[in-house]
Amino acid sequence: MQEHNLLMLSHNCLAGLSASSVELLPVPSIIDFERRMAALGKPPNHPMMSPKWHDMSPVDSFAIMFEVDGQEIGGVAARCLDLGEDALAKHWQETYSRMYTNGETSPVSGFSGAASREIRGRVVYLGELFLAEGWRKGVVDWRLVFHYLFALSYLKWRSDWIYGFVRQQDVMRGKASRYGFTRQYVGPQTWTKCVERRSSQEYLVAISRQDLFDAAAFYSASPEDLRSPAT
Protein backbone atom coordinates (compact mmCIF):
# COMPACT_ATOMS: atom_id res chain seq x y z
CA MET A 1 0.00 0.00 0.00
CA GLN A 2 2.82 2.40 0.80
CA GLU A 3 4.41 1.89 -2.60
CA HIS A 4 1.07 2.35 -4.34
CA ASN A 5 0.53 5.66 -2.54
CA LEU A 6 4.02 6.84 -3.48
CA LEU A 7 3.50 5.92 -7.12
CA MET A 8 0.20 7.83 -7.09
CA LEU A 9 1.93 10.78 -5.45
CA SER A 10 4.67 10.88 -8.08
CA HIS A 11 2.11 10.57 -10.89
CA ASN A 12 0.00 13.41 -9.51
CA CYS A 13 3.05 15.63 -9.08
CA LEU A 14 4.20 15.09 -12.67
CA ALA A 15 0.67 15.65 -13.98
CA GLY A 16 0.34 18.89 -12.04
CA LEU A 17 3.69 20.18 -13.26
CA SER A 18 2.93 19.22 -16.85
CA ALA A 19 -0.37 21.11 -16.65
CA SER A 20 1.67 24.26 -16.00
CA SER A 21 4.09 23.40 -18.84
CA VAL A 22 6.92 22.33 -16.52
CA GLU A 23 8.62 19.04 -17.39
CA LEU A 24 11.20 17.17 -15.29
CA LEU A 25 14.04 15.64 -17.30
CA PRO A 26 16.30 12.97 -15.73
CA VAL A 27 20.06 13.51 -15.98
CA PRO A 28 21.96 10.31 -15.08
CA SER A 29 25.37 12.01 -14.90
CA ILE A 30 26.11 14.58 -12.17
CA ILE A 31 29.00 15.81 -14.35
CA ASP A 32 26.56 16.54 -17.19
CA PHE A 33 24.12 18.10 -14.73
CA GLU A 34 26.79 20.47 -13.39
CA ARG A 35 27.76 21.49 -16.94
CA ARG A 36 24.18 22.17 -17.98
CA MET A 37 23.45 24.12 -14.80
CA ALA A 38 26.58 26.24 -15.29
CA ALA A 39 25.17 27.29 -18.66
CA LEU A 40 22.19 28.71 -16.75
CA GLY A 41 24.42 30.75 -14.46
CA LYS A 42 24.67 28.43 -11.47
CA PRO A 43 27.93 28.24 -9.44
CA PRO A 44 29.73 24.87 -9.24
CA ASN A 45 28.19 22.14 -7.08
CA HIS A 46 28.79 22.17 -3.34
CA PRO A 47 31.36 19.58 -2.22
CA MET A 48 28.60 17.28 -0.90
CA MET A 49 27.36 16.87 -4.48
CA SER A 50 30.51 17.53 -6.46
CA PRO A 51 31.97 14.98 -8.90
CA LYS A 52 35.36 16.46 -7.98
CA TRP A 53 35.00 14.93 -4.53
CA HIS A 54 32.86 11.85 -5.11
CA ASP A 55 32.68 9.05 -7.67
CA MET A 56 28.92 9.21 -8.16
CA SER A 57 26.98 6.93 -10.44
CA PRO A 58 23.29 6.50 -11.34
CA VAL A 59 23.19 3.85 -8.60
CA ASP A 60 23.72 6.37 -5.78
CA SER A 61 22.74 9.71 -7.32
CA PHE A 62 20.42 11.37 -9.80
CA ALA A 63 19.76 14.84 -11.14
CA ILE A 64 16.76 16.47 -12.75
CA MET A 65 16.49 19.45 -15.06
CA PHE A 66 13.38 21.63 -15.18
CA GLU A 67 12.19 22.44 -18.70
CA VAL A 68 9.51 24.84 -19.96
CA ASP A 69 8.53 24.69 -23.65
CA GLY A 70 11.77 22.93 -24.54
CA GLN A 71 13.97 25.36 -22.60
CA GLU A 72 15.98 24.23 -19.59
CA ILE A 73 15.44 26.68 -16.71
CA GLY A 74 16.97 24.97 -13.67
CA GLY A 75 17.41 21.75 -11.78
CA VAL A 76 18.12 19.83 -8.59
CA ALA A 77 20.19 16.78 -7.61
CA ALA A 78 20.08 13.95 -5.07
CA ARG A 79 22.63 11.61 -3.54
CA CYS A 80 22.05 8.59 -1.30
CA LEU A 81 24.42 7.45 1.46
CA ASP A 82 23.90 4.32 3.50
CA LEU A 83 25.20 5.38 6.92
CA GLY A 84 24.12 2.22 8.70
CA GLU A 85 24.03 2.91 12.43
CA ASP A 86 26.19 6.05 12.15
CA ALA A 87 24.48 9.39 12.71
CA LEU A 88 24.45 11.99 9.95
CA ALA A 89 26.45 14.36 12.17
CA LYS A 90 29.25 11.77 12.39
CA HIS A 91 29.40 11.64 8.58
CA TRP A 92 29.63 15.44 8.42
CA GLN A 93 32.36 15.47 11.07
CA GLU A 94 34.43 12.92 9.16
CA THR A 95 34.13 14.59 5.75
CA TYR A 96 33.91 18.36 6.16
CA SER A 97 37.59 19.03 6.91
CA ARG A 98 38.59 17.10 3.79
CA MET A 99 36.03 18.81 1.56
CA TYR A 100 36.22 22.35 2.89
CA THR A 101 39.66 22.97 4.46
CA ASN A 102 42.02 20.54 2.69
CA GLY A 103 42.28 18.27 5.70
CA GLU A 104 43.05 21.01 8.19
CA THR A 105 40.95 21.82 11.25
CA SER A 106 37.25 21.21 10.70
CA PRO A 107 35.36 24.34 9.61
CA VAL A 108 32.54 23.32 11.97
CA SER A 109 32.98 23.38 15.73
CA GLY A 110 29.91 21.37 16.59
CA PHE A 111 26.76 19.66 15.43
CA SER A 112 23.46 19.67 17.24
CA GLY A 113 19.96 18.34 17.10
CA ALA A 114 18.48 15.58 15.01
CA ALA A 115 21.61 15.00 12.92
CA SER A 116 23.25 13.61 16.06
CA ARG A 117 20.21 11.91 17.62
CA GLU A 118 17.98 10.57 14.87
CA ILE A 119 19.06 10.82 11.26
CA ARG A 120 20.89 7.66 10.19
CA GLY A 121 20.42 4.69 7.88
CA ARG A 122 19.76 5.30 4.19
CA VAL A 123 19.98 9.08 3.97
CA VAL A 124 19.26 11.09 0.82
CA TYR A 125 20.67 14.59 0.42
CA LEU A 126 18.80 16.98 -1.90
CA GLY A 127 20.79 19.95 -3.11
CA GLU A 128 21.92 22.20 -5.95
CA LEU A 129 18.43 23.62 -6.41
CA PHE A 130 18.63 26.49 -8.90
CA LEU A 131 16.47 28.44 -11.32
CA ALA A 132 17.83 30.76 -14.00
CA GLU A 133 17.19 34.48 -13.79
CA GLY A 134 13.78 35.42 -15.08
CA TRP A 135 12.18 32.12 -14.03
CA ARG A 136 12.15 32.50 -10.24
CA LYS A 137 8.71 33.92 -9.58
CA GLY A 138 5.65 31.72 -9.86
CA VAL A 139 6.87 29.44 -12.63
CA VAL A 140 7.45 26.21 -10.68
CA ASP A 141 5.17 24.69 -8.05
CA TRP A 142 7.82 23.64 -5.54
CA ARG A 143 5.41 21.53 -3.52
CA LEU A 144 4.90 19.31 -6.56
CA VAL A 145 8.63 19.17 -7.35
CA PHE A 146 9.71 18.22 -3.87
CA HIS A 147 7.00 15.66 -3.24
CA TYR A 148 7.98 14.05 -6.51
CA LEU A 149 11.62 14.03 -5.36
CA PHE A 150 10.62 12.55 -2.01
CA ALA A 151 8.65 9.76 -3.69
CA LEU A 152 11.36 9.06 -6.26
CA SER A 153 14.06 8.95 -3.58
CA TYR A 154 12.15 6.39 -1.54
CA LEU A 155 11.18 4.24 -4.53
CA LYS A 156 14.78 4.24 -5.80
CA TRP A 157 16.64 3.78 -2.50
CA ARG A 158 14.10 2.86 0.22
CA SER A 159 15.40 5.88 2.11
CA ASP A 160 15.00 6.31 5.86
CA TRP A 161 15.49 10.09 5.74
CA ILE A 162 15.63 12.80 3.06
CA TYR A 163 17.27 16.08 4.00
CA GLY A 164 18.66 19.36 2.74
CA PHE A 165 19.62 22.84 3.91
CA VAL A 166 17.49 25.98 3.65
CA ARG A 167 18.64 29.47 4.54
CA GLN A 168 17.12 30.91 7.69
CA GLN A 169 15.46 33.81 5.85
CA ASP A 170 13.80 31.35 3.46
CA VAL A 171 12.59 29.17 6.33
CA MET A 172 11.02 32.27 7.88
CA ARG A 173 9.22 32.89 4.60
CA GLY A 174 7.73 29.39 4.78
CA LYS A 175 9.72 27.78 1.98
CA ALA A 176 10.66 24.61 3.85
CA SER A 177 7.01 23.94 4.73
CA ARG A 178 5.96 24.73 1.18
CA TYR A 179 8.48 22.20 -0.11
CA GLY A 180 7.00 19.57 2.22
CA PHE A 181 9.78 19.05 4.76
CA THR A 182 8.09 18.02 8.01
CA ARG A 183 11.15 18.57 10.24
CA GLN A 184 12.98 21.91 10.45
CA TYR A 185 15.96 22.23 12.80
CA VAL A 186 17.71 25.49 13.65
CA GLY A 187 21.48 25.62 14.09
CA PRO A 188 22.48 22.10 12.99
CA GLN A 189 26.08 23.21 12.39
CA THR A 190 28.28 25.91 13.93
CA TRP A 191 30.67 27.17 11.26
CA THR A 192 33.85 28.70 12.65
CA LYS A 193 35.53 29.29 9.29
CA CYS A 194 34.18 31.33 6.41
CA VAL A 195 33.07 28.91 3.68
CA GLU A 196 31.36 30.14 0.54
CA ARG A 197 27.61 29.44 0.46
CA ARG A 198 27.57 27.78 3.92
CA SER A 199 26.73 29.35 7.29
CA SER A 200 25.48 28.69 10.82
CA GLN A 201 22.19 30.33 9.84
CA GLU A 202 21.18 27.40 7.66
CA TYR A 203 18.36 25.16 8.84
CA LEU A 204 18.53 21.40 8.48
CA VAL A 205 15.23 20.39 6.89
CA ALA A 206 14.18 16.76 6.61
CA ILE A 207 11.38 14.28 6.13
CA SER A 208 11.42 10.79 7.65
CA ARG A 209 10.23 7.63 5.97
CA GLN A 210 7.09 7.51 8.10
CA ASP A 211 6.30 11.18 7.53
CA LEU A 212 6.60 10.55 3.80
CA PHE A 213 4.28 7.55 4.03
CA ASP A 214 1.73 9.70 5.88
CA ALA A 215 1.97 12.48 3.29
CA ALA A 216 1.64 10.03 0.39
CA ALA A 217 -1.45 8.45 1.95
CA PHE A 218 -3.04 11.86 2.54
CA TYR A 219 -2.35 13.21 -0.94
CA SER A 220 -3.41 9.99 -2.62
CA ALA A 221 -6.80 10.39 -0.96
CA SER A 222 -6.93 14.19 -1.48
CA PRO A 223 -4.83 15.06 -4.55
CA GLU A 224 -6.51 18.46 -4.79
CA ASP A 225 -4.64 19.47 -1.62
CA LEU A 226 -1.24 18.76 -3.15
CA ARG A 227 -0.83 21.90 -5.21
CA SER A 228 0.47 25.04 -3.55
CA PRO A 229 -2.14 27.80 -3.02
CA ALA A 230 0.03 30.09 -5.16
CA THR A 231 2.82 28.91 -7.45
Side-chain angles (χ1 to χ4, degrees):
M1 189 61 181
Q2 306 290 3
E3 187 160 318
H4 170 77
N5 288 337
L6 288 162
L7 288 170
M8 287 296 298
L9 176 61
S10 61
H11 169 78
N12 290 335
C13 288
L14 291 176
L17 289 165
S18 182
S20 59
S21 300
V22 177
E23 303 294 335
L24 304 186
L25 306 177
V27 183
S29 166
I30 297 296
I31 294 174
D32 187 36
F33 168 78
E34 189 173 33
R35 177 186 60 79
R36 288 159 71 171
M37 293 289 275
L40 299 178
K42 181 185 172 300
N45 288 3
H46 287 79
M48 298 93 74
M49 196 74 77
S50 174
K52 295 179 181 177
W53 288 101
H54 310 284
D55 295 324
M56 290 181 286
S57 75
V59 173
D60 58 17
S61 63
F62 69 77
I64 287 175
M65 299 295 294
F66 311 142
E67 184 181 272
V68 174
D69 296 329
Q71 180 180 352
E72 292 184 350
I73 65 168
V76 66
R79 179 177 178 232
C80 180
L81 290 173
D82 192 343
L83 302 179
E85 293 302 313
D86 286 349
L88 178 59
K90 183 174 185 289
H91 168 70
W92 290 341
Q93 187 175 34
E94 292 175 347
T95 60
Y96 272 17
S97 60
R98 173 173 56 86
M99 292 191 296
Y100 288 104
T101 58
N102 295 318
E104 299 174 2
T105 305
S106 175
V108 175
S109 64
F111 305 96
S112 63
S116 300
R117 297 189 309 266
E118 299 178 70
I119 302 180
R120 62 190 73 235
R122 287 184 176 270
V123 176
V124 175
Y125 167 64
L126 295 179
E128 308 308 323
L129 179 65
F130 182 84
L131 277 183
E133 289 284 353
W135 295 96
R136 296 177 182 174
K137 292 187 182 294
V139 177
V140 178
D141 187 328
W142 293 116
R143 194 167 190 81
L144 295 177
V145 169
F146 273 88
H147 280 81
Y148 175 74
L149 293 172
F150 296 160
L152 180 60
S153 294
Y154 179 80
L155 292 168
K156 182 176 177 65
W157 290 308
R158 298 301 188 262
S159 52
D160 296 298
W161 288 87
I162 303 167
Y163 83 97
F165 296 104
V166 176
R167 295 177 302 175
Q168 178 173 290
Q169 59 264 41
D170 290 332
V171 171
M172 298 306 177
R173 296 185 186 118
K175 282 191 176 182
S177 296
R178 195 179 314 142
Y179 295 164
F181 289 105
T182 54
R183 316 288 182 96
Q184 300 170 31
Y185 306 99
V186 65
Q189 304 169 343
T190 302
W191 289 81
T192 55
K193 294 190 176 183
C194 182
V195 173
E196 187 179 7
R197 296 184 289 155
R198 301 302 307 272
S199 81
S200 301
Q201 280 69 53
E202 293 173 324
Y203 272 57
L204 167 64
V205 297
I207 183 169
S208 70
R209 174 187 290 202
Q210 188 57 58
D211 287 353
L212 175 57
F213 288 169
D214 292 344
F218 177 82
Y219 290 126
S220 292
S222 304
E224 66 277 5
D225 292 322
L226 181 59
R227 292 183 63 87
S228 298
T231 60

